[in-house]
Amino acid sequence: MRESDTFPRVSDADLFAALRSVLPEEAVLTEAQARRTYESDGLSAYRQSPRVVVLPADEQQVQAVLAACHRLGVPVVARGHGTGLSGGALPLADGVLMSMARLNRIVAIDAHARTARVQPGVRNLAISEAAAPHSLYYAPDPSSQIACSIGGNVAENSGGVHCLKYGLTVHNLLRVRGLLADGSPFEAGGEGPDGPGFDLLALLTGSEGLLAVITEITVRLLPKPRTVQALLAAFDDVERAGQAVAAIIAAGIIPAGLEMMDGPATRAAEAYVHANYPVDAEALLICESDGTAEEVADEVARMRALLEAAGATEIRYSRDEAERLKFWAGRKSAFPAVGRLSPDYYCIDGTIPRRTLGEVLRWMYARSREVGVDVVNVFHAGDGNLHPLLLFDASKPGEFERTELFANDILRKCVEVGGTITGEHGVGVEKIDAMCGQFAAPELETFHGLKHAFDAAGLLNPGKAVPTLHRCAELGRMHVHHGELPHPDLPRF
Amino acid sequence: MTPSTPSPLAEIEADLAGRVAAAARDRTPLRLCGGGSQAALCRSDSGAPLDLTVLQGIIAYEPSELVITVGAGTPLTVVADALAARGQMLPFEPRLAEGRATVGGAVAAQRGGPRRWTAGAVRDFLLGLVLIDGRGQRLRFGGQVIKNVAGFDVTRLQAGAWGSLGIITEVSIKVLPLPLLERTLQFELDQAQALHQINAWAGQPLPLSASSWEHGCLRVRLSGVAAAVDLASRVMGGEALDDRTAAAHWAGLRERCHPFFSAGGTLWRLALRPTAAVLELPGSVLWEWGGGQRWLRSDAPVEQVRRAAAAAGGHAELHAGGPAGTPVFHPLAAPLDGLHRRIKAVFDPAGILNPGTPDYL
């Protein structure tokens, strides 16, 4: 992909003038202080002020910005609401940071066809709120759904705690309107069950802003389930809890949610929100069932029997909506809860085949003791998505570096057992090196080829998501010489 | 299976890769052949045939992981039987073509049968695959896990690409439990009433799993636990079909052996906004998927059909008949046409894989 010195550098004055000729004065931010607001996304370990920030308000303005940048050879990073956890929206020092936040209109809700047509800056939860009067909702619910934008969800193919049953973002999109790097408009997908041509909708979803800029999204809405109930099951052993998850799924049940927390995560969450979790448990499962009252009663009874047979030490039902939300409150606040245990934490996002959970956790706890970095685990158990949180203190010299090495070990382990380096947070800048371990050169070349097919000049979010072969080769050499990843102060983008 | 485990298909893959690499050097077109169940839409009648049914067998199946990994030449019936033995199914209810349809063919060409309406299409259940590209390189994308966002989604890009972007040799698919109970209800409604009613029901939490309308008859299949199916039956009314008639009806649609499909003449498949009004085109209609998939038997001019489909938020494919030289697939306008050709060139720079298919390239 693009190397930083490919383009003749246009002067700041010329670039800013070109942007101001297509945008209102207040939509072009050049002051250092204003630019600094955009210097990181949810992964704040990486910071970089952009050269300039633009705030287009409609598709026409987005198109004009892209056309101007294409003409001048200036890279563009599109950003939603900046909640991403892999540095996908990290600005480039020589690039334009384009915030999509002002494209925040819900264009239309078609209750009969169960669709919502929205602009990319609309918040995920706002779609469900707007659909609620029709008893419909938008299913994917990443933990950040109060704040995150649907455009960012498309860029990252975001998941959530209900995706075993309801799918990821890619399963809930019908059509996107977008612009190629030169500003030419296109549509992918359709209002029907499929679109013409290749499945570009799938290719664009999760492409981390490298292929196109999305300007309008049509999502599928689902009827809201009439009844929702949660079960809380405690186990004195994480492997037994993992076996309980396998037993539920093998019995033909697809729960709406199936989450696991290990002992340290349970205790941290309890201390933070007082959800009345059993704090002596070594693993806690939250199983959610939704549907009609009859379906839920049937499913909950079957799950209870399976949990008991798997050796649960305690099982509780949510008796009402307040109690169900309380069960979830601890899980949903696991990250801030862990944040109180430690000055800093590093959140990892790998996926493993569920059957390897015991092996992976045992390995992780042992490695944690070896490297002296504490680990706390929350787990989307239904779909094998593991979120180990590594606790460290960035003010202590060497702790971040040690933590990052441990993080990379964990990702390597995920790949080794047949999983992947990212289940839902994306590669961004954070996992770009881990990509070298997951894919071989011909596969990475295919990704670069696709990038080139969409964006021959390499101007959209360059340097993210897919490492250059050169970079991987260098890492490979360093592995041979030192047996570990290079120091993180090397140029990373 | 982990990436380091040698694949049981390794030798066959190496042989195929060698043949593709040689064909790429000589610029010899290759015609990828599975079970031949989709021949009607495949325009690649030239080229040296490459038999892919040799890619046989179930490579890994762990019911509690909800994932099966199979050789792409494995018949869908073999997969469906193995899953049924453990109480599971391919959720998209693919056409089996009397045992001829293969997993690779389903990925390359199918969109799914009756259950696709509410369960999802083939692409929705694809987790990973192994591909031999047009250079003869063996590539692995995705994996055997449900959540995976590493790299571009080349896996789903293969769904509906008709082998134009590579030879699929191994596929990992998410599977689902078989429903405990199914029941089909029948209603006498004209087309406009039926379109309205089915979409109204689809907006309610009912266990809908299939729908069809033709000749004033709407049929709706419910799937789920007995209590939910019973409740939905009471809410919806209608007349329950006996199990044998119901099974034959949905199988007829899935296999396209329903009499509607054998009537001769020009047959179109339109994928539309399900609530789109009754098409103002001459001919007869059978629809599925709540009105989203409409089969049209019509002598209307090609352009009129394609305009009507686009106006209803969708596209039209020609499945049989039509004036000679009519493109099968909906033509693409700029910039999509050029983009598709550039994507093709990434995977198959010599243009040897199924040349001419799909015909928008």
Side-chain angles (χ1 to χ4, degrees):
Chain A
M1 264 167 226
R2 175 183 167 275
E3 299 300 331
S4 58
D5 53 1
T6 310
F7 294 98
R9 193 181 155 94
V10 60
S11 74
D12 282 355
D14 289 349
L15 173 62
F16 300 168
L19 295 170
R20 288 194 171 109
S21 72
V22 296
L23 292 175
E25 176 73 26
E26 47 79 35
V28 182
L29 311 180
T30 57
E31 293 302 318
Q33 201 181 339
R35 288 184 286 122
R36 204 169 302 134
T37 310
Y38 296 87
E39 70 183 2
S40 76
D41 60 13
L43 182 70
S44 55
Y46 296 88
R47 291 173 189 276
Q48 172 64 58
S49 262
R51 194 171 174 191
V52 55
V53 176
V54 294
L55 303 161
D58 56 31
E59 185 187 285
Q60 212 182 340
Q61 290 183 359
V62 174
Q63 186 171 24
V65 168
L66 288 175
C69 290
H70 193 254
R71 182 163 45 80
L72 300 171
V74 176
V76 180
V77 177
R79 169 189 162 110
H81 291 171
T83 58
L85 292 170
S86 57
L90 184 76
L92 300 172
D94 62 343
V96 172
L97 190 284
M98 179 159 63
S99 166
M100 305 299 282
R102 288 187 178 176
L103 281 84
N104 62 355
R105 220 155 43 81
I106 294 178
V107 181
I109 292 205
D110 184 338
H112 193 43
R114 289 105 49 214
T115 62
R117 194 148 58 87
V118 301
Q119 292 186 324
V122 169
R123 289 176 306 112
N124 171 299
L125 190 60
I127 302 174
S128 289
E129 286 168 352
H134 309 288
S135 299
L136 299 170
Y137 78 114
Y138 175 64
D141 59 343
S143 296
S144 58
Q145 71 175 147
I146 300 169
C148 65
S149 70
I150 185 70
N153 292 175
V154 173
E156 301 293 332
N157 191 15
S158 305
V161 295
H162 292 103
C163 49
L164 180 65
K165 185 165 178 181
Y166 295 106
L168 309 163
T169 304
V170 70
H171 301 106
N172 290 276
L173 299 179
L174 288 170
R175 182 170 70 172
V176 295
R177 249 184 92 72
L179 303 168
L180 297 180
D182 62 2
S184 45
F186 69 93
E187 288 185 356
E191 292 177 72
D194 42 66
F198 292 148
D199 196 343
L200 298 188
L201 188 60
L203 185 61
L204 288 162
T205 308
S207 64
E208 304 197 20
L210 269 75
L211 302 183
V213 175
I214 301 304
T215 55
E216 191 181 276
I217 299 147
T218 304
V219 302
R220 200 160 65 99
L221 302 174
L222 295 180
K224 262 204 223 167
R226 292 209 172 89
T227 312
V228 188
Q229 192 174 27
L231 276 177
L232 202 63
F235 288 84
D236 55 15
D237 175 76
V238 283
E239 274 184 65
R240 215 163 288 152
Q243 285 154 7
V245 169
I248 287 172
I249 288 168
I253 300 171
I254 306 291
L258 195 48
E259 293 289 309
M260 190 191 296
M261 299 162 76
D262 69 0
T266 304
R267 288 182 278 280
E270 179 57 26
Y272 185 57
V273 296
H274 311 295
N276 199 21
Y277 286 163
V279 290
D280 51 350
E282 281 315 306
L284 199 62
L285 282 183
I286 305 176
C287 314
E288 186 159 280
S289 175
D290 68 8
T292 61
E294 293 80 1
E295 283 174 296
V296 170
D298 179 278
E299 195 168 280
V300 164
R302 290 164 66 207
M303 287 200 290
R304 179 182 185 114
L306 291 161
L307 290 165
E308 277 172 351
T313 53
E314 185 182 349
I315 298 175
R316 293 185 211 157
Y317 295 92
S318 64
R319 282 159 299 187
D320 52 33
E321 186 62 6
E323 193 169 26
R324 184 182 75 86
L325 294 175
K326 202 170 172 188
F327 283 3
W328 277 109
R331 166 62 187 88
K332 292 224 172 187
S333 64
F335 289 12
V338 166
R340 297 201 329 163
L341 296 183
S342 164
D344 299 283
Y345 67 89
Y346 195 109
C347 171
I348 302 174
D349 163 47
T351 303
I352 56 172
R354 263 189 315 267
R355 64 178 176 276
T356 64
L357 177 67
E359 173 197 342
V360 171
L361 288 184
R362 260 197 318 273
W363 170 89
M364 202 186 299
Y365 295 139
R367 187 93 185 105
S368 157
R369 284 190 295 273
E370 269 168 44
V371 298
V373 174
D374 283 336
V375 60
V376 165
N377 268 290
V378 295
F379 185 46
H380 299 306
D383 40 40
N385 192 188
L386 202 59
H387 289 312
L389 302 171
L390 308 186
L391 313 185
F392 70 103
D393 183 349
S395 67
K396 293 190 184 154
E399 277 220 355
F400 177 70
E401 288 75 8
R402 246 181 328 140
T403 304
E404 220 182 20
L405 287 176
F406 185 20
N408 277 305
D409 282 350
I410 293 174
L411 297 180
R412 261 199 301 276
K413 184 74 181 174
C414 289
V415 174
E416 192 187 303
V417 299
T420 173
I421 59 165
T422 172
E424 57 182 1
H425 293 173
V427 174
V429 293
E430 185 204 19
K431 291 183 174 164
I432 194 132
D433 292 341
M435 285 287 283
C436 304
Q438 178 144 5
F439 293 102
E443 290 144 6
L444 293 171
E445 272 175 345
T446 303
F447 294 149
H448 287 291
L450 286 168
K451 166 73 171 161
H452 194 261
F454 277 82
D455 173 20
L459 292 175
L460 297 180
N461 211 11
K464 312 278 180 66
V466 187
T468 60
L469 297 181
H470 179 69
R471 183 185 183 91
C472 288
E474 253 182 14
L475 285 171
R477 254 199 327 270
M478 297 192 74
H479 275 302
V480 174
H481 290 309
H482 304 295
E484 58 182 24
L485 284 167
H487 198 267
D489 62 6
L490 285 172
R492 294 189 70 99
F493 1 86
Chain B
M1 196 185 71
T2 63
S4 49
T5 314
S7 162
L9 301 175
E11 267 180 47
I12 300 168
E13 285 172 343
D15 174 57
L16 285 170
R19 288 208 259 165
V20 173
R25 272 194 307 276
D26 310 341
R27 308 223 157 220
T28 315
L30 295 173
R31 183 159 51 96
L32 315 187
C33 303
S37 63
Q38 300 285 341
L41 275 76
C42 182
R43 289 285 169 91
S44 307
D45 42 12
S46 65
L50 201 57
D51 178 16
L52 303 178
T53 59
V54 293
L55 295 155
Q56 286 281 340
I58 292 169
I59 297 166
Y61 174 37
E62 180 60 54
S64 73
E65 299 280 337
L66 295 176
V67 176
I68 190 165
T69 299
V70 296
T74 312
L76 288 163
T77 43
V78 170
V79 179
D81 289 349
L83 293 173
R86 306 298 297 269
Q88 296 184 335
M89 64 174 178
L90 291 167
F92 42 91
E93 203 173 358
R95 181 175 178 217
L96 305 172
E98 295 168 332
R100 281 181 301 132
T102 62
V103 173
V107 173
Q110 284 209 40
R111 289 192 165 101
R115 203 180 306 274
R116 185 269 170 260
W117 177 34
T118 51
V122 180
R123 59 88 101 168
D124 291 312
F125 295 93
L126 275 184
L127 300 179
L129 45 75
V130 175
L131 193 71
I132 294 169
D133 73 5
R135 295 178 173 86
Q137 303 185 106
R138 182 180 182 276
L139 310 172
R140 178 181 287 278
F141 297 101
Q144 283 104 44
V145 290
I146 291 165
K147 277 165 115 179
N148 183 357
V149 293
F152 299 140
D153 197 343
V154 174
T155 303
R156 289 194 174 87
L157 183 64
Q158 304 306 318
W162 291 84
S164 63
L165 303 179
I167 298 169
I168 301 164
T169 62
E170 176 192 308
V171 184
S172 293
I173 301 173
K174 180 183 170 187
V175 300
L176 286 179
L178 281 162
L180 295 176
L181 179 72
E182 301 210 305
R183 182 179 303 155
T184 296
L185 305 175
Q186 178 170 297
F187 308 82
E188 303 279 316
L189 292 170
D190 72 26
Q191 192 182 174
Q193 290 169 328
L195 281 171
H196 182 84
Q197 182 63 72
I198 197 68
N199 281 290
W201 280 330
Q204 296 171 34
L206 297 166
L208 308 172
S209 72
S211 60
S212 73
W213 178 91
E214 48 152 352
H215 288 311
C217 179
L218 173 67
R219 286 175 171 176
V220 185
R221 186 176 66 190
L222 305 171
S223 302
V225 300
V229 170
D230 285 341
L231 178 72
S233 306
R234 285 199 299 278
V235 170
M236 293 167 66
E239 175 202 342
L241 235 56
D242 70 88
D243 287 348
R244 188 179 299 181
T245 310
H249 175 69
W250 302 116
L253 292 175
R254 185 189 73 217
E255 299 300 325
R256 295 199 207 130
C257 57
H258 184 285
F260 183 90
F261 296 100
S262 47
T266 305
L267 178 67
W268 291 92
R269 172 191 184 265
L270 287 76
L272 310 177
R273 182 187 330 119
T275 53
V278 174
L279 294 168
E280 291 183 10
L281 294 168
S284 56
V285 166
L286 179 155
W287 54 248
E288 301 177 77
W289 305 355
Q293 172 165 270
R294 301 193 196 182
W295 298 99
L296 170 70
R297 205 163 266 303
S298 174
D299 294 325
V302 170
E303 274 318 300
Q304 195 186 349
V305 175
R306 294 219 145 109
R307 264 201 310 277
H315 64 110
E317 287 166 3
L318 181 61
H319 276 243
T326 307
V328 169
F329 296 98
H330 211 90
L332 301 172
L336 287 177
D337 52 353
L339 182 59
H340 277 72
R341 284 191 286 269
R342 293 196 295 278
I343 292 171
K344 164 79 173 172
V346 171
F347 291 89
D348 179 21
I352 54 162
L353 300 177
N354 276 354
T357 303
D359 52 22
Y360 47 74
L361 285 175

